[in-house]
Amino acid sequence: NALTLSGEKQQEQKSEDGGRSWTERSYGRFERTIPFEHEIDADKVDASCRNGVLTVTLPKNAQARDKTRKIAIKPH
């Protein structure tokens, strides 16, 4: 019941100034794990990437949905 996101980013920058040129490179790996309180229906997990934004849909399984409840907010 956790989602782990991992990847590697690579960046390269080339510059020129007054007849001199240089290249800077940086690399880095990352990993994040996000735990969940409820069980996830692993067969229905969906992920997409659009315009550099990662969207992950993690639906609760049927048993976890049965345990949810709505709480009314009373005005003050």
Side-chain angles (χ1 to χ4, degrees), residues 14-75:
K14 295 182 180 184
S15 301
E16 292 186 27
D17 180 29
R20 298 178 296 171
S21 65
W22 64 92
T23 302
E24 294 181 21
R25 295 182 181 108
S26 63
Y27 301 91
R29 290 190 44 78
F30 63 90
E31 181 173 302
R32 300 289 185 270
T33 299
I34 305 164
F36 299 108
E37 293 180 21
H38 303 287
E39 287 190 38
I40 302 300
D41 189 348
D43 295 331
K44 295 182 181 176
V45 171
D46 185 46
S48 63
C49 186
R50 183 175 176 173
N51 296 327
V53 177
L54 175 64
T55 302
V56 181
T57 304
L58 303 155
K60 294 180 186 177
N61 71 11
Q63 291 174 340
R65 275 195 296 268
D66 292 341
K67 294 178 185 177
T68 61
R69 61 187 176 111
K70 290 185 179 183
I71 300 172
I73 300 174
K74 298 174 188 169

